[in-house]
């Protein structure tokens, strides 16, 4: 039993998916273990004020496990799973709000120079003296993301933190690519404004 589990820990995600689709329970278990932190983080970024993030995480993982055989291409797992997460989030948002929120961010989308890219701000290997500042900056980034209106927050999280393409985000949110690009550009500009005091000039 332990040898089987140790074997699965060394497998790539694509191989785990293929085995899980063949009813390999241990492969599915390993896949869930690898994804659960990312799922929790996704829901936290999307709506940090929710009290049921652990429940949403479990539900998303359950839906992934239940529908894993429907995934035709393991390489598209991230996009497929992100759609499950986002659909679940939107279902919960519809329960929370009877009417869709009309929200906007005042920003000039034509000026996209010097825009902060969240992926460039991720905490990489740093010298010990920099670790405290890096942790503080990461907290500021999270706080800044949380201040964005929900449609913009979803777009920027899926793009910068989940690495999805504009087309994938468009399909998930059922929004035009042009609107997605506009929301991401405005969200980046807003984040730049909020983070400017904490960035090295």
């Amino acid at each position: 039993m332990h040898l089987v589990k140790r074997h699965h820990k060394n497998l790539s995600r694509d191989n785990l998916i293929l085995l899980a689709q063949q009813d390999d329970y241990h492969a599915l278990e390993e896949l869930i273990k690898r994804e659960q932190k990312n799922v929790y983080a996704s829901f936290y970024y999307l709506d940090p004020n929710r009290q049921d993030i652990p429940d949403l995480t479990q539900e998303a993982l359950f839906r992934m496990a239940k529908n894993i055989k429907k995934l035709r291409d393991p390489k598209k797992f991230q996009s497929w799973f992100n759609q499950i997460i986002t659909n679940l989030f939107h279902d919960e948002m519809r329960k929370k709000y009877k009417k869709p929120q009309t929200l906007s961010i005042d920003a000039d989308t034509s000026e996209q120079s010097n825009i902060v890219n969240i992926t460039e701000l991720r905490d990489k290997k740093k010298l010990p003296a920099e670790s405290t500042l890096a942790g503080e900056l990461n907290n500021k980034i999270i706080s800044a993301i949380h201040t964005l209106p929900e449609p913009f927050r979803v777009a920027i999280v899926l793009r910068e933190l989940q690495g999805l393409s504009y087309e994938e985000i468009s399909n998930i949110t059922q929004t035009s690519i042009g609107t997605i690009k506009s929301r991401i550009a405005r969200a980046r500009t807003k984040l730049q404004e909020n983070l400017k005091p904490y960035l090295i000039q």
Side-chain angles (χ1 to χ4, degrees):
M1 183 72 70
H2 293 295
L3 291 176
V4 173
K5 289 188 176 182
R6 191 177 302 119
H7 168 70
H8 285 83
K9 288 183 178 180
N10 297 326
L11 294 177
S12 68
R13 185 172 67 181
D14 288 357
N15 285 333
L16 287 175
I17 293 169
L18 290 173
L19 289 174
Q21 290 175 330
Q22 299 170 20
D23 298 320
D24 186 324
Y25 172 79
H26 295 295
L28 181 59
E29 182 181 35
E30 177 63 25
L31 184 61
I32 290 173
K33 286 181 179 179
R34 292 188 191 183
E35 296 298 323
Q36 59 186 0
K37 288 184 179 180
N38 180 56
V39 177
Y40 186 96
S42 295
F43 283 121
Y44 179 73
Y45 274 110
L46 290 169
D47 190 350
N49 297 318
R50 294 194 67 93
Q51 301 298 315
D52 58 350
I53 292 179
D55 294 333
L56 290 176
T57 299
Q58 288 188 357
E59 177 62 23
L61 291 169
F62 172 76
R63 293 186 184 185
M64 179 270 285
K66 181 180 179 182
N67 296 288
I68 191 69
K69 291 183 179 181
K70 297 180 181 179
L71 178 62
R72 296 183 179 181
D73 185 355
K75 296 188 181 302
K76 295 182 178 180
F77 173 82
Q78 195 63 58
S79 176
W80 173 78
F81 194 18
N82 275 319
Q83 185 162 358
I84 291 177
I85 294 171
T86 308
N87 287 344
L88 178 57
F89 175 74
H90 282 171
D91 288 344
E92 293 301 314
M93 288 297 292
R94 280 191 285 270
K95 294 178 183 178
K96 185 176 180 180
Y97 300 105
K98 294 181 179 179
K99 295 182 180 180
Q101 293 176 300
T102 302
L103 302 169
S104 63
I105 297 180
D106 294 327
D108 184 359
T109 57
S110 63
E111 297 180 1
Q112 297 190 28
S113 59
N114 300 321
I115 290 177
V116 172
N117 188 328
I118 298 175
T119 55
E120 295 175 357
L121 299 175
R122 287 179 179 173
D123 187 12
K124 299 178 181 179
K125 290 184 178 179
K126 298 180 181 295
L127 297 174
E130 297 179 287
S131 60
T132 301
L133 290 176
E136 181 180 353
L137 177 57
N138 186 59
N139 290 334
K140 296 298 181 183
I141 293 171
I142 294 173
S143 297
I145 292 174
H146 290 168
T147 64
L148 297 174
E150 188 261 338
F152 297 87
R153 189 169 64 246
V154 169
I156 199 74
V157 167
L158 293 179
R159 175 64 177 173
E160 303 292 6
L161 300 179
Q162 300 296 337
L164 272 63
S165 67
Y166 292 117
E167 184 177 3
E168 288 172 326
I169 299 171
S170 173
N171 291 334
I172 288 174
T173 60
Q174 297 183 348
T175 307
S176 70
I177 292 179
T179 298
I180 292 300
K181 289 183 177 180
S182 175
R183 287 177 179 175
I184 290 173
R186 293 186 180 189
R188 284 172 172 168
T189 302
K190 195 67 176 179
L191 290 175
Q192 181 192 28
E193 294 174 0
N194 292 339
L195 294 171
K196 189 177 294 184
Y198 307 99
L199 298 176
I200 298 176
Q201 302 297 323

